[in-house]
């Protein structure tokens, strides 16, 4: 099915290209690699090498963390998936920005019609890279939970090169580095354990050192309540008894349904088992903003808000 979908997308792209050419309205840029006046930049990323104009004029973006960064420099975003936009990026829900499907199911025909000269994708679109790059130059940038700041810094450097904003992004990364250093010093001095817990319509999953939320331990400075948590994409399924057993000093909770629209798990931790933990006894259970942690981590505003939320939890 994947190959069939891929060929269908390619066929649509070819047919629409012929159609536009026949109308005298092509998507070709006057700048090409053979044009000595063209200012081209080549980006190496995990899925390959992408050559594109240094300052794209029409951008389609499929990652809210990257959208967060683009918003800071006023990049011309023409299309994005709108279904799960975080509140602080709600301006992109306006009609002037085209809805390009969902994070998992892009509308390739709509994307082609937008004639982007750059498409930015991330982990959720990993398997669709070939379909995207058949439409326009595509760069894949993602966040590694095991090295959050390393991958974040790399992504900002790449965006800086593409949009000729190296100094701006370097300055923003430095501010976040300073905020994380301060948080790390404070959290480390507490010498307390922490556990990241995701609740999802009644189920419980925890995330450890090498997970997508590993920054809680690696960058932010908490000791993991359990060093042997499986590093699965959707976390390790656990029970209330498990939480009592590992007994974290701090419990950081994110409700996935806040983003997906599922049934809220509000009140799920109001039980005698959780009340037996040190986190509960010392009022150290914090609820995190899922719109930031689940769908827009890796951005400038998002990352700073993550730091601020955890900092506030230990005041």
């Amino acid at each position: 099915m994947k190959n069939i979908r891929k060929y269908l997308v390619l066929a649509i792209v070819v047919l629409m290209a012929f159609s536009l050419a026949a109308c005298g309205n092509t998507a070709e840029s006057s700048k090409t690699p053979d044009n000595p006046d063209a200012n081209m930049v080549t980006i190496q990323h995990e899925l390959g090498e992408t050559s594109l104009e240094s300052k794209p004029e029409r951008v389609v973006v499929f990652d809210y963390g990257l959208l967060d960064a683009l918003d800071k420099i006023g990049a011309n975003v023409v299309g994005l998936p709108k279904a799960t936009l975080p509140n602080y990026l709600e301006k992109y829900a306006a009609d002037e920005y085209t809805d390009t499907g969902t994070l998992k199911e892009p509308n390739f025909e709509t994307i082609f019609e937008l004639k982007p000269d750059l498409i930015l994708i991330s982990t959720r679109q990993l398997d669709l890279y070939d379909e995207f790059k058949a439409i326009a130059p595509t760069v894949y940038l993602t966040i590694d939970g095991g090295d959050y700041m390393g991958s974040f810094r790399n992504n900002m450097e790449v965006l800086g090169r593409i949009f000729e904003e190296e100094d701006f992004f370097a300055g923003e990364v430095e501010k976040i580095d300073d905020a994380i250093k301060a948080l790390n010093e404070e959290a480390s001095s507490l010498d307390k354990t922490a556990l990241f817990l995701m609740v999802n319509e009644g189920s419980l999953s925890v995330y450890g050192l090498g997970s997508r939320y590993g920054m809680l331990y690696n960058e932010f400075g908490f000791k993991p309540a359990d060093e042997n948590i499986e590093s699965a994409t959707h976390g390790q399924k656990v029970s209330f008894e498990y939480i009592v057993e590992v007994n974290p000093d701090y419990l950081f909770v994110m409700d996935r349904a806040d983003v997906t629209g599922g049934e809220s798990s509000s009140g799920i931790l109001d039980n005698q088992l959780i009340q037996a933990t040190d986190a509960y006894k010392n009022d150290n259970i914090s609820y995190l903003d899922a719109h930031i942690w689940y769908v827009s981590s890796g951005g400038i505003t998002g990352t700073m808000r993550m730091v601020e939320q955890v900092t506030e939890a230990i005041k």
Side-chain angles (χ1 to χ4, degrees):
M1 289 298 295
K2 178 180 175 182
N3 288 334
I4 292 174
R5 179 180 63 186
K6 176 178 177 180
Y7 292 135
L8 284 173
V9 171
L10 293 175
I12 290 171
V13 171
V14 172
L15 288 172
M16 293 186 72
F18 277 120
S19 175
L20 288 172
C23 296
N25 182 22
T26 69
E28 293 182 2
S29 169
S30 61
K31 295 182 179 181
T32 68
D34 296 325
N35 182 353
D37 295 328
N39 188 13
M40 303 294 292
V41 60
T42 298
I43 302 298
Q44 301 281 349
H45 54 91
E46 289 183 31
L47 300 184
E49 179 180 286
T50 301
S51 295
L52 42 82
E53 297 181 24
S54 60
K55 290 190 67 173
E57 298 178 356
R58 298 178 62 81
V59 185
V60 168
V61 57
F62 270 80
D63 179 270
Y64 297 137
L66 299 177
L67 175 64
D68 173 345
L70 295 181
D71 183 63
K72 292 291 187 181
I73 59 171
N76 185 31
V77 174
V78 296
L80 70 152
K82 297 183 178 182
T84 51
L85 269 171
N87 294 335
Y88 72 99
L89 294 172
E90 62 183 358
K91 80 176 193 181
Y92 292 98
D95 291 341
E96 64 185 285
Y97 305 100
T98 300
D99 193 346
T100 54
T102 69
L103 292 172
K104 283 290 206 175
E105 297 181 352
N107 186 327
F108 289 107
E109 184 173 353
T110 296
I111 296 169
F112 183 88
E113 291 172 347
L114 287 172
K115 296 182 288 186
D117 43 23
L118 172 63
I119 302 173
L120 293 170
I121 66 171
S122 191
T123 306
R124 290 179 174 88
Q125 304 85 40
L126 173 65
D127 294 335
L128 301 175
Y129 175 67
D130 288 342
E131 286 91 327
F132 280 109
K133 75 174 184 178
I135 296 174
T138 300
V139 174
Y140 173 82
L141 298 174
T142 190
I143 288 291
D144 176 5
D147 182 19
Y148 185 95
M149 281 306 295
S151 53
F152 171 71
R153 185 176 294 105
N154 172 76
N155 291 352
M156 296 305 104
E157 288 175 355
V158 169
L159 293 181
R161 288 183 58 206
I162 292 173
F163 293 95
E164 298 179 1
E165 293 280 2
E166 291 96 334
D167 289 345
F168 171 79
F169 284 115
E172 294 301 303
V173 170
E174 183 177 1
K175 293 176 187 176
I176 291 171
D177 268 332
D178 289 343
I180 289 178
K181 181 180 179 180
L183 170 57
N184 185 288
E185 289 177 354
E186 188 168 359
S188 298
S189 68
L190 295 175
D191 195 29
K192 300 293 186 180
T193 64
L195 184 66
F196 191 103
L197 173 69
M198 182 175 76
V199 297
N200 182 33
E201 300 189 52
S203 68
L204 309 174
S205 300
V206 293
Y207 292 81
L209 285 167
S211 73
R212 63 192 294 183
Y213 302 115
M215 78 287 290
L216 184 65
Y217 320 105
N218 298 326
E219 276 86 3
F220 294 175
F222 285 95
K223 293 166 55 178
D226 182 358
E227 296 185 355
N228 300 308
I229 297 173
E230 298 173 5
S231 298
T233 301
H234 299 291
Q236 176 181 307
K237 299 288 185 183
V238 298
S239 63
F240 289 113
E241 288 79 5
Y242 165 88
I243 298 174
V244 175
E245 181 181 350
V246 299
N247 193 24
D249 295 306
Y250 285 83
L251 185 61
F252 293 94
V253 185
M254 181 189 72
D255 189 346
R256 182 175 178 268
D258 289 345
V259 172
T260 62
E263 182 179 349
S264 173
S265 296
S266 176
I268 190 174
L269 300 184
D270 295 335
N271 60 66
Q272 290 183 341
L273 288 171
I274 295 299
Q275 291 169 9
T277 65
D278 289 341
Y280 180 89
K281 293 174 182 177
N282 295 307
D283 196 23
N284 287 333
I285 298 179
S286 301
Y287 291 85
L288 304 174
D289 186 341
H291 284 91
I292 294 175
W293 289 77
Y294 190 67
V295 293
S296 63
S297 63
I300 294 171
T301 298
T303 300
M304 188 62 83
R305 288 191 181 182
M306 291 162 69
V307 175
E308 290 169 351
Q309 285 186 345
V310 175
T311 299
E312 182 64 26
I314 61 177
K315 290 298 185 183

